[in-house]
Amino acid sequence: MAGRAGGRAAAPAPIAAGGRGASGQTSAASWRACSKCRSLVFIKVWDRCVGVCPACGAHSALTARERLAALLDPGSCRLLEPGDTVEDPLSFADRTPYRVRLRTAQEVTGLSDAVVAATGTVDGNPLVVAVMDFAFLGGSLGVAAGEAVTVAAERALADSVPLVLVTASGGARMQEGVLSLMQMAKTAGVMAVLDEAGLLTVTIVTDPTYGGVAASFATLSDVLICEPSARMGFAGPRVIAQTICEELPEGFQTGEFLLERGLVDDVRPRAELRHVLAVLLSAAAAARRPTPPTAPRSAQLVRDPGRLPRRPSTDVMASARNPGRPTTTDHLGYWMDSFVPLHGDRAGGGDCVAIVGGIGIVERRPVMVIGHQKGHTTAELVRANFGMASPSGYRKVARLARTAAKLGVPIVTLIDTPGAYPGVDAERGGQAGAIAECLRVLS
């Protein structure tokens, strides 16, 4: 239900308005107070930080218009007209009639409903974006909001460009009853159409994202990126605590919590989101263009192993066991022009540190890189389980391979492992089945 699953995202608290005195001192209206640490921030600094407190890093809520301005290239935004929908289909009324609540929300936000759809570009790459505004009835998913998401997806399909979703919602809009719940199936269905068309989909999760939105289009994208501390889940912590009287773990349902459990691809501060989108969109666009000609190279590519210099086996073994030799992440730094790491198996099994993967660009060519990761120090080797993948690691490989197949992006693999992890937890997690499924997908 709207507003029941999660609370409002931290918002900047304005200081009481005041004028500029004869001494020329700055008025109180020129400052904002962070709702988390209560630090006073000059309004121009606050705007330059796009609503992120420079003292504690808390991310305040943005309106849909502010989000569009922060993500899209200046002057590129073109709003899409939402489709016609039935208003107040149930003639719902509690203490206030639903029609009155709608009118109030429209007057306060200047929006027709909780989702704003638009076309635009990011670093010159075209896309369609659908942005939710929590200020409009808690960003609840009603008929009009579901139609706006669908309109955005259909435009992305017509233009053959990626779809980016920015979510902020308390859940389904209870005033529209089962018609609101139907939007979950409607939006999930249109996401499946984009999958079949091979179009990149990205979700930027902001605080909070709960209920019907999290259980439909928000979590169906190819890439899920959370803002720091953004919460996402089906039932909110208050509902869970009141229903089953269970004490919840620290940081429950935050982006960091979800990343550790392999349910999202990454947690990125707001200042990095535009760059991440630019890399992903550039890779998706390059995948749909003809392969560029290869530039002349001074070094010759050796394809015949017989032409390689012969080395004593002891030297080969010493090189293989040298802790200073390059790892997968080292190679990524050496030869990738840009790279966005992708994490997790999306099945709650976690993020296997022994498997590194992500999408990036090498000399204008998009690639999906998947490789084993060991490390250089003892601590790094232990953390990565000495490059031995767990079931979640193989499931992550399969997920990234499916994404690469959908986008038409080649896969580069870097193999550096003594084998799969032969432990009790791995067997409990279905190691054999995970390996088999990975082989089937790659085949």
Side-chain angles (χ1 to χ4, degrees), residues 17 20 23 35 102 125 130 136 148 151-152 209-211 231 237 252 268 273-274 284 343 371 374 376 400 437:
R20 182 180 293 274
S23 63
S35 60
L102 277 177
N125 297 292
F136 195 103
V151 165
T209 297
Y210 279 109
R231 295 163 294 168
F252 183 64
R268 292 295 187 103
L273 293 177
R274 196 172 184 280
H343 301 276
K374 286 186 176 179
H376 298 296
L400 297 184
E437 176 64 17

Side-chain angles (χ1 to χ4, degrees), residues 254-267 343 351:
T254 63
E256 294 79 2
F257 179 93
L258 299 172
L259 178 62
E260 183 180 345
R261 284 151 185 81
L263 296 173
V264 298
D265 285 289
D266 215 343
V267 176
H343 301 276
D351 180 44

Side-chain angles (χ1 to χ4, degrees), residues 41 67 71 83 92 113 143 162 216 248-249 264 279 305 319 344 387 411 438:
V41 183
R67 185 68 66 173
L71 292 178
F92 188 94
D113 211 275
V143 174
S216 59
L248 304 177
V264 298
V279 174
S319 297
I411 300 174
C438 184

Side-chain angles (χ1 to χ4, degrees), residues 159-174:
D159 294 350
S160 193
V161 298
L163 174 67
V164 174
L165 305 161
V166 184
T167 60
S169 176
R173 189 170 300 176
M174 62 181 183

Side-chain angles (χ1 to χ4, degrees), residues 20 27 54 61 114 153 155 171 218 238 275 280-281 315 327 332 345 395 409 423 434:
R20 182 180 293 274
S27 68
R155 180 59 181 269
R238 184 172 57 182
H275 169 71
L280 293 173
L281 296 175
D315 291 352
T327 64
L332 293 174
D345 61 2
R395 293 187 177 106
V409 173

Side-chain angles (χ1 to χ4, degrees), residues 120-184:
T121 61
V122 175
D123 201 19
N125 297 292
L127 77 158
V128 177
V129 59
V131 181
M132 306 194 76
D133 196 321
F134 195 89
F136 195 103
L137 297 180
S140 51
L141 180 63
V143 174
E147 177 63 17
V149 172
T150 304
V151 165
E154 290 173 343
R155 180 59 181 269
L157 183 66
D159 294 350
S160 193
V161 298
L163 174 67
V164 174
L165 305 161
V166 184
T167 60
S169 176
R173 189 170 300 176
M174 62 181 183
Q175 294 91 342
E176 297 184 10
V178 72
L179 296 177
S180 174
L181 298 179
M182 288 171 61
Q183 305 311 305
M184 298 169 61

